[in-house]
Amino acid sequence: MIDIRDRVRNAALHGKIVSAEEAAAIIKPGMNIGTSGFTPAGYPKAVPLALAERMKKENFQVNLWTGASVGKELDGAWAEANGIARRLPYQTNEAIRKQINNGKIAYTDLHLSHVAQMSRYGFLGGKVNVAIVEACAITEDGNIIPTTSLGNSPSFVKDADIVIVEVNTSQPMELEGMHDVYIPQDPPCRQPIPLTKPDDRIGTPYIPCGVDKITYIVPCDLPDAVRPLAAIDDDARAMSAHLIDFLNNEIKQGRMPKNLLPLQSGVGSVANAVVCGLVNSPYENLSVFTEVIQDGMFDLIDAGKLTFASGTSLTPSPEGLQRFYDNIGEYRKKIVLRPQEIANSPELARRLGIIAMNTAIEFDIFGHVNSTHIMGSKMMNGIGGSGDFARNGYLTFFFSNSIAKKGAISSIVPMCSHIDHTEHDVDVFITERGVADVRGLSPKERARVIIKHCAHPDYQPLLTDYLERAEKATGFVHTPHLMDEALSWHSRFIQTGTMKK
């Protein structure tokens, strides 16, 4: 067993150090398991792998609650063991996705800012029975020093009957001090969150727990299984250039300070590429208030463009993670990690004036956004934190390539096959084709701007034809639709393999 006694600073806790198998044995079928982790960062690994082996032998299931997606050693291993009955609030694992879409896993897709409070209130099917949290150390008082994410860990630890702490020796001790743990009181006792700028600190650098509450401590040396990011292509460069041109005009019009407002960027390759494009922009003294810190944020710090970044998770590529570890002494001066109910707080997004930048699977001509479902039915990943920021941002952008599947799919359609963000939540759409600023426009005005500036030329005539025929057929109503054709593009793709006629 790995020796972690130097990281467990209270000698009285050394007697609680056990193997992953012994810790996993305490978990019973049907329990609600709340774990650390937000994207493949800071999630427990040893205990989940041990539990997966039990699941294979004993054929039982549990309910898995996390911050967001986690790594293959957790939800991937449990899915392969058919060990998950219910999953929430976000996932990216292929095995889980298949089981969600074939009905084997009940999936609850949630706004990420809501999860901690909903779990504390018992809205999610009872309370957290077991919290499994990755740490780089445990303090003398039994408090938990987190690793590369915070997610919902503080709330899960607070509520759980059983707390298992995985002390991961692959995580550097220099992470200590990078966290700001603040758990708001629940209504009717809640006070305003006392944070007025991204670099404020309002909590503790550890997760409050206590010696008596820790049930087991498990050694681990498995690193975060972070994922590579796709190469930045011409479409991503074009979208980033469109964003910069748009923001330059906002500054010129007096609607934005020269150093912009705090930036939020969603997870994934497109979002990272858009942020990377800001490295060569004219902006200085940028700040970030977001969920995930990706490679592009490190680029901005290295370029001297970014003064501070607040998030809930470090979500870099494998190369980006090594880069972070190699330069952790400098990066830690400009990065703080918070619980996701703070990082994703709608109150803070509105108050700080966040520039919200997220990606869409598709959007329709009237400005609705689908960010979760393929062809209206199959879950992709989940809504994540995009809704927390979209409705409450100072400016809300959604990005997408104009086409997918080599042109067989138009990302701009007559009507979204599923709607996560309504026309009321989005200010600006950007594809590689251009920018559609839909602020203050009526539905029909939005439709013409979106078709003209965002749709691919192969689909512009079809979209215009649909809009004009819908206007005539309905007598130019407020939001004209041909109800027997509104989803025909999706039906045509399912039947023929293309949306083109």
Side-chain angles (χ1 to χ4, degrees):
M1 189 182 298
I2 304 161
D3 189 355
I4 56 171
R5 287 174 295 178
D6 60 327
R7 293 185 178 226
V8 180
R9 297 172 186 164
N10 186 319
L13 285 171
H14 292 175
K16 295 187 177 185
I17 298 173
V18 301
S19 68
E21 290 74 18
E22 185 174 347
I26 203 170
I27 295 171
K28 296 183 174 70
M31 278 184 162
N32 297 324
I33 313 299
T35 78
S36 61
F38 191 109
T39 66
Y43 58 97
K45 305 163 182 75
V47 174
L49 287 172
L51 186 62
E53 293 304 310
R54 262 192 69 204
M55 289 169 168
K56 292 175 186 176
K57 295 174 184 176
E58 300 176 25
N59 191 28
F60 71 92
Q61 294 184 318
V62 297
N63 303 312
L64 176 57
W65 306 357
T66 62
S69 59
V70 287
K72 60 185 180 181
E73 301 91 343
L74 177 46
D75 56 4
W78 291 6
E80 290 168 6
N82 295 312
I84 302 175
R86 182 175 298 277
R87 177 75 169 92
L88 62 88
Y90 185 85
Q91 52 74 40
T92 57
N93 182 271
E94 184 178 356
I96 281 195
R97 187 180 302 121
K98 286 180 180 178
Q99 292 186 23
I100 289 169
N101 288 316
N102 66 21
K104 291 184 177 180
I105 291 177
Y107 181 52
T108 306
D109 185 26
L110 297 169
H111 294 297
L112 297 187
S113 69
H114 294 182
V115 179
Q117 177 175 299
M118 292 177 77
S119 70
R120 291 194 298 267
Y121 268 39
F123 291 176
L124 303 176
K127 64 176 294 183
V128 177
N129 302 121
V130 180
I132 312 174
V133 179
E134 182 178 89
C136 61
I138 300 174
T139 71
E140 292 83 352
D141 296 325
N143 297 315
I144 300 167
I145 307 296
T147 60
T148 46
S149 70
L150 260 177
N152 288 314
S153 301
S155 184
F156 291 162
V157 167
K158 180 181 178 181
D159 285 359
D161 296 319
I162 298 167
V163 175
I164 301 170
V165 183
E166 270 196 19
V167 175
N168 193 321
T169 58
S170 77
Q171 298 280 16
M173 284 304 305
E174 290 86 351
L175 289 166
E176 185 171 2
M178 282 190 63
H179 308 86
D180 186 45
V181 180
Y182 177 92
I183 304 175
Q185 291 179 291
D186 287 320
C189 301
R190 180 165 295 166
Q191 298 295 311
I193 299 170
L195 191 152
T196 59
K197 56 186 188 302
D199 60 348
D200 282 348
R201 284 182 174 266
I202 58 175
T204 61
Y206 52 77
I207 297 171
C209 184
V211 171
D212 293 339
K213 186 154 192 178
I214 296 174
T215 308
Y216 290 128
I217 302 168
V218 175
C220 180
D221 62 356
L222 299 174
D224 287 341
V226 293
R227 296 185 293 262
L229 292 163
I232 298 174
D233 60 15
D234 290 341
D235 283 357
R237 292 188 187 94
M239 285 186 264
S240 187
H242 294 322
L243 171 68
I244 291 168
D245 287 344
F246 182 89
L247 293 174
N248 285 343
N249 186 61
E250 290 297 291
I251 294 170
K252 184 179 178 180
Q253 298 299 322
R255 294 191 286 256
M256 191 86 67
K258 289 184 178 180
N259 67 332
L260 306 180
L261 288 164
L263 304 173
Q264 177 267 330
S265 177
V267 69
S269 296
V270 172
N272 183 68
V274 169
V275 170
C276 285
L278 296 176
V279 171
N280 297 315
S281 73
Y283 314 126
E284 304 283 347
N285 300 314
L286 296 171
S287 64
V288 164
F289 193 85
T290 190
E291 302 166 293
V292 294
I293 310 296
Q294 298 196 114
D295 292 28
M297 305 294 184
F298 300 149
D299 291 344
L300 288 172
I301 291 174
D302 291 347
K305 299 274 188 176
L306 180 60
T307 60
F308 202 83
S310 169
T312 193
S313 172
L314 294 168
T315 314
S317 66
E319 298 79 13
L321 183 61
Q322 189 58 52
R323 175 180 169 191
F324 170 75
Y325 287 158
D326 290 343
N327 298 280
I328 192 170
E330 291 302 312
Y331 287 137
R332 59 175 288 136
K333 297 175 185 177
K334 297 186 176 182
I335 296 173
V336 68
L337 299 180
R338 310 181 190 277
Q340 70 191 63
E341 64 180 320
I342 305 302
N344 288 56
S345 165
E347 174 202 348
L348 294 175
R350 177 64 62 90
R351 182 147 47 85
L352 297 176
I354 300 300
I355 298 174
M357 301 182 291
N358 291 284
T359 54
I361 290 174
E362 66 180 0
F363 53 92
D364 66 32
I365 57 176
F366 298 113
H368 304 288
V369 174
N370 170 17
S371 60
T372 59
H373 285 70
I374 304 298
M375 295 294 138
S377 298
K378 290 187 176 181
M379 171 58 67
M380 186 62 182
N381 298 328
I383 194 168
S386 55
D388 298 324
F389 294 101
R391 180 161 291 184
N392 300 287
Y394 175 82
L395 264 180
T396 292
F397 295 85
F398 272 91
F399 297 83
S400 178
N401 298 90
S402 66
I403 53 175
K405 298 287 184 183
K406 298 181 179 180
I409 292 176
S410 172
S411 300
I412 296 89
V413 292
M415 179 186 282
C416 280
S417 58
H418 177 90
I419 294 174
D420 295 290
H421 312 282
T422 74
E423 60 188 305
H424 314 292
D425 298 342
V426 188
D427 300 307
V428 184
F429 295 94
I430 298 181
T431 69
E432 80 285 357
R433 305 294 306 173
V435 178
D437 181 357
V438 298
R439 292 175 292 180
L441 302 184
S442 70
K444 286 176 285 190
E445 290 171 330
R446 283 198 299 271
R448 285 179 166 80
V449 170
I450 288 171
I451 293 169
K452 179 180 178 180
H453 294 290
C454 289
H456 192 276
D458 289 353
Y459 289 98
Q460 283 175 328
L462 295 173
L463 291 165
T464 300
D465 173 67
Y466 173 86
L467 175 63
E468 292 176 347
R469 288 187 296 110
E471 287 177 322
K472 292 176 182 177
T474 60
F476 295 87
V477 296
H478 181 63
T479 306
H481 266 304
L482 299 171
M483 297 311 294
D484 58 345
E485 289 188 38
L487 295 176
S488 64
W489 289 33
H490 301 86
S491 297
R492 187 159 56 243
F493 176 81
I494 291 169
Q495 294 164 8
T496 69
T498 181
M499 286 185 173
K500 294 178 181 177
K501 289 185 177 179

Short mmCIF file of all heavy atoms in Angstrom, two decimals, residues 5 16 26-27 72 76 141 148 186 201 223 227 278 286 295 300 308 328 334-335 341 353 389 411 418 471 491:
data_model
loop_
_atom_site.label_atom_id
_atom_site.label_comp_id
_atom_site.label_asym_id
_atom_site.label_seq_id
_atom_site.Cartn_x
_atom_site.Cartn_y
_atom_site.Cartn_z
N ARG A 5 1.11 8.68 4.89
CA ARG A 5 1.04 9.25 6.24
C ARG A 5 1.56 10.68 6.30
O ARG A 5 1.09 11.47 7.14
CB ARG A 5 1.80 8.34 7.21
CG ARG A 5 1.06 7.04 7.53
CD ARG A 5 1.90 6.12 8.36
NE ARG A 5 3.09 5.68 7.64
CZ ARG A 5 4.03 4.90 8.17
NH1 ARG A 5 3.92 4.48 9.42
NH2 ARG A 5 5.09 4.54 7.45
N LYS A 16 -7.30 5.04 10.11
CA LYS A 16 -8.42 4.94 9.17
C LYS A 16 -7.95 4.70 7.73
O LYS A 16 -8.77 4.65 6.82
CB LYS A 16 -9.27 6.21 9.22
CG LYS A 16 -9.97 6.42 10.56
CD LYS A 16 -10.92 7.61 10.53
CE LYS A 16 -11.67 7.76 11.85
NZ LYS A 16 -12.69 8.83 11.83
N ILE A 26 -18.01 -0.97 2.09
CA ILE A 26 -19.03 -0.33 2.93
C ILE A 26 -20.24 0.13 2.11
O ILE A 26 -21.30 0.43 2.65
CB ILE A 26 -18.42 0.87 3.70
CG1 ILE A 26 -19.26 1.18 4.94
CG2 ILE A 26 -18.28 2.10 2.81
CD1 ILE A 26 -18.60 2.19 5.89
N ILE A 27 -20.07 0.17 0.79
CA ILE A 27 -21.13 0.68 -0.09
C ILE A 27 -22.14 -0.42 -0.35
O ILE A 27 -21.80 -1.55 -0.71
CB ILE A 27 -20.52 1.20 -1.41
CG1 ILE A 27 -19.62 2.41 -1.11
CG2 ILE A 27 -21.61 1.57 -2.41
CD1 ILE A 27 -18.80 2.89 -2.27
N LYS A 72 -12.70 7.73 -16.69
CA LYS A 72 -13.05 6.35 -17.03
C LYS A 72 -12.99 5.42 -15.82
O LYS A 72 -13.69 4.39 -15.79
CB LYS A 72 -12.12 5.85 -18.13
CG LYS A 72 -10.65 5.86 -17.72
CD LYS A 72 -9.72 5.49 -18.86
CE LYS A 72 -8.25 5.52 -18.41
NZ LYS A 72 -7.34 5.19 -19.52
N GLY A 76 -17.05 5.36 -16.13
CA GLY A 76 -16.79 4.40 -17.19
C GLY A 76 -16.74 2.98 -16.66
O GLY A 76 -17.38 2.06 -17.20
N ASP A 141 -6.84 19.09 11.42
CA ASP A 141 -8.21 19.11 11.94
C ASP A 141 -9.15 18.19 11.16
O ASP A 141 -10.36 18.18 11.41
CB ASP A 141 -8.76 20.54 11.91
CG ASP A 141 -7.99 21.47 12.83
OD1 ASP A 141 -7.55 21.01 13.90
OD2 ASP A 141 -7.81 22.65 12.47
N THR A 148 -7.67 18.83 -8.34
CA THR A 148 -7.83 19.66 -9.55
C THR A 148 -9.26 20.08 -9.85
O THR A 148 -9.52 20.66 -10.92
CB THR A 148 -7.24 18.92 -10.76
OG1 THR A 148 -7.70 17.55 -10.75
CG2 THR A 148 -5.73 18.93 -10.72
N ASP A 186 -28.84 27.64 3.01
CA ASP A 186 -30.02 27.39 2.18
C ASP A 186 -31.15 28.35 2.57
O ASP A 186 -31.22 28.82 3.71
CB ASP A 186 -30.48 25.95 2.32
CG ASP A 186 -29.54 24.98 1.62
OD1 ASP A 186 -29.07 25.31 0.52
OD2 ASP A 186 -29.27 23.89 2.19
N ARG A 201 -11.59 36.23 -2.42
CA ARG A 201 -11.64 34.97 -1.67
C ARG A 201 -12.63 35.14 -0.52
O ARG A 201 -12.52 36.10 0.24
CB ARG A 201 -10.26 34.58 -1.15
CG ARG A 201 -9.36 34.01 -2.25
CD ARG A 201 -8.01 33.58 -1.71
NE ARG A 201 -7.22 32.92 -2.73
CZ ARG A 201 -7.18 31.61 -2.94
NH1 ARG A 201 -7.91 30.80 -2.18
NH2 ARG A 201 -6.43 31.08 -3.89
N PRO A 223 -3.20 9.18 -11.96
CA PRO A 223 -3.39 10.57 -12.39
C PRO A 223 -4.75 10.78 -13.04
O PRO A 223 -5.42 9.82 -13.44
CB PRO A 223 -2.26 10.77 -13.41
CG PRO A 223 -2.04 9.41 -13.99
CD PRO A 223 -2.27 8.44 -12.84
N ARG A 227 -8.43 14.48 -21.31
CA ARG A 227 -8.61 14.15 -22.72
C ARG A 227 -7.90 15.16 -23.61
O ARG A 227 -7.84 16.36 -23.29
CB ARG A 227 -10.10 14.14 -23.07
CG ARG A 227 -10.90 13.07 -22.36
CD ARG A 227 -12.33 13.06 -22.85
NE ARG A 227 -13.03 14.26 -22.47
CZ ARG A 227 -13.83 14.37 -21.42
NH1 ARG A 227 -14.01 13.34 -20.62
NH2 ARG A 227 -14.46 15.50 -21.15
N LEU A 278 -8.00 34.69 -28.43
CA LEU A 278 -7.86 35.97 -27.73
C LEU A 278 -6.41 36.31 -27.41
O LEU A 278 -6.10 37.45 -27.06
CB LEU A 278 -8.69 35.94 -26.44
CG LEU A 278 -10.20 35.80 -26.60
CD1 LEU A 278 -10.86 35.67 -25.24
CD2 LEU A 278 -10.78 36.98 -27.36
N LEU A 286 -7.36 40.89 -18.86
CA LEU A 286 -8.61 40.12 -18.90
C LEU A 286 -8.81 39.36 -17.59
O LEU A 286 -7.85 39.03 -16.88
CB LEU A 286 -8.58 39.12 -20.05
CG LEU A 286 -8.51 39.71 -21.47
CD1 LEU A 286 -8.25 38.60 -22.48
CD2 LEU A 286 -9.79 40.47 -21.80
N ASP A 295 -6.66 24.79 -21.70
CA ASP A 295 -5.35 25.19 -22.22
C ASP A 295 -5.30 26.65 -22.64
O ASP A 295 -4.30 27.34 -22.44
CB ASP A 295 -4.97 24.32 -23.43
CG ASP A 295 -4.70 22.87 -23.05
OD1 ASP A 295 -5.27 22.40 -22.05
OD2 ASP A 295 -3.92 22.21 -23.76
N LEU A 300 -3.38 32.48 -22.32
CA LEU A 300 -3.62 33.89 -21.99
C LEU A 300 -2.76 34.34 -20.81
O LEU A 300 -2.24 35.47 -20.82
CB LEU A 300 -5.10 34.10 -21.67
CG LEU A 300 -6.07 34.05 -22.86
CD1 LEU A 300 -7.51 34.08 -22.36
CD2 LEU A 300 -5.83 35.22 -23.81
N PHE A 308 -6.50 37.11 -13.88
CA PHE A 308 -7.01 36.15 -12.91
C PHE A 308 -8.12 35.30 -13.52
O PHE A 308 -8.92 35.79 -14.32
CB PHE A 308 -7.55 36.86 -11.67
CG PHE A 308 -7.59 35.96 -10.46
CD1 PHE A 308 -6.46 35.77 -9.70
CD2 PHE A 308 -8.76 35.30 -10.10
CE1 PHE A 308 -6.47 34.93 -8.58
CE2 PHE A 308 -8.79 34.46 -9.01
CZ PHE A 308 -7.64 34.27 -8.23
N ILE A 328 3.28 25.30 -11.90
CA ILE A 328 2.23 25.50 -10.92
C ILE A 328 2.51 26.68 -9.99
O ILE A 328 1.59 27.38 -9.55
CB ILE A 328 1.98 24.20 -10.12
CG1 ILE A 328 0.70 24.31 -9.30
CG2 ILE A 328 3.18 23.85 -9.25
CD1 ILE A 328 0.25 22.99 -8.68
N LYS A 334 -2.69 33.00 -10.14
CA LYS A 334 -3.73 33.62 -10.97
C LYS A 334 -4.94 32.72 -11.18
O LYS A 334 -5.78 33.00 -12.02
CB LYS A 334 -3.14 34.02 -12.32
CG LYS A 334 -2.04 35.06 -12.18
CD LYS A 334 -1.56 35.56 -13.53
CE LYS A 334 -0.53 36.67 -13.36
NZ LYS A 334 -0.08 37.22 -14.65
N ILE A 335 -5.04 31.63 -10.42
CA ILE A 335 -6.16 30.71 -10.57
C ILE A 335 -6.71 30.34 -9.20
O ILE A 335 -5.95 30.06 -8.27
CB ILE A 335 -5.73 29.42 -11.31
CG1 ILE A 335 -5.28 29.73 -12.74
CG2 ILE A 335 -6.86 28.40 -11.33
CD1 ILE A 335 -4.69 28.54 -13.47
N GLU A 341 -21.55 25.56 -7.22
CA GLU A 341 -22.71 26.41 -6.97
C GLU A 341 -22.29 27.86 -6.80
O GLU A 341 -23.14 28.77 -6.88
CB GLU A 341 -23.55 25.92 -5.79
CG GLU A 341 -22.89 25.95 -4.44
CD GLU A 341 -23.83 25.44 -3.35
OE1 GLU A 341 -25.05 25.75 -3.38
OE2 GLU A 341 -23.35 24.71 -2.46
N GLY A 353 -21.49 40.66 -14.59
CA GLY A 353 -21.58 41.03 -16.00
C GLY A 353 -20.80 40.09 -16.90
O GLY A 353 -19.99 40.51 -17.73
N PHE A 389 -25.19 30.39 -17.15
CA PHE A 389 -24.58 31.61 -17.65
C PHE A 389 -25.41 32.27 -18.74
O PHE A 389 -25.46 33.50 -18.85
CB PHE A 389 -23.18 31.32 -18.17
CG PHE A 389 -22.22 30.90 -17.10
CD1 PHE A 389 -21.90 29.56 -16.92
CD2 PHE A 389 -21.63 31.84 -16.26
CE1 PHE A 389 -21.02 29.17 -15.92
CE2 PHE A 389 -20.75 31.45 -15.26
CZ PHE A 389 -20.44 30.11 -15.10
N SER A 411 -26.37 22.90 -39.08
CA SER A 411 -26.51 23.21 -37.66
C SER A 411 -27.54 24.30 -37.41
O SER A 411 -27.91 24.55 -36.27
CB SER A 411 -25.15 23.64 -37.08
OG SER A 411 -24.20 22.61 -37.22
N HIS A 418 -34.76 19.78 -30.14
CA HIS A 418 -34.83 19.82 -28.68
C HIS A 418 -34.36 21.21 -28.28
O HIS A 418 -33.44 21.74 -28.91
CB HIS A 418 -33.93 18.75 -28.06
CG HIS A 418 -33.90 18.78 -26.56
ND1 HIS A 418 -34.77 18.06 -25.78
CD2 HIS A 418 -33.12 19.46 -25.68
CE1 HIS A 418 -34.52 18.27 -24.50
NE2 HIS A 418 -33.53 19.14 -24.41
N GLU A 471 -44.35 32.22 -43.62
CA GLU A 471 -44.98 33.53 -43.45
C GLU A 471 -46.29 33.62 -44.23
O GLU A 471 -47.33 34.06 -43.70
CB GLU A 471 -44.01 34.64 -43.89
CG GLU A 471 -42.87 34.88 -42.92
CD GLU A 471 -41.89 35.91 -43.42
OE1 GLU A 471 -41.62 35.94 -44.65
OE2 GLU A 471 -41.39 36.70 -42.61
N SER A 491 -36.07 14.54 -39.88
CA SER A 491 -36.65 13.30 -40.40
C SER A 491 -35.95 12.87 -41.68
O SER A 491 -35.67 11.67 -41.88
CB SER A 491 -38.16 13.49 -40.67
OG SER A 491 -38.85 13.76 -39.48
#
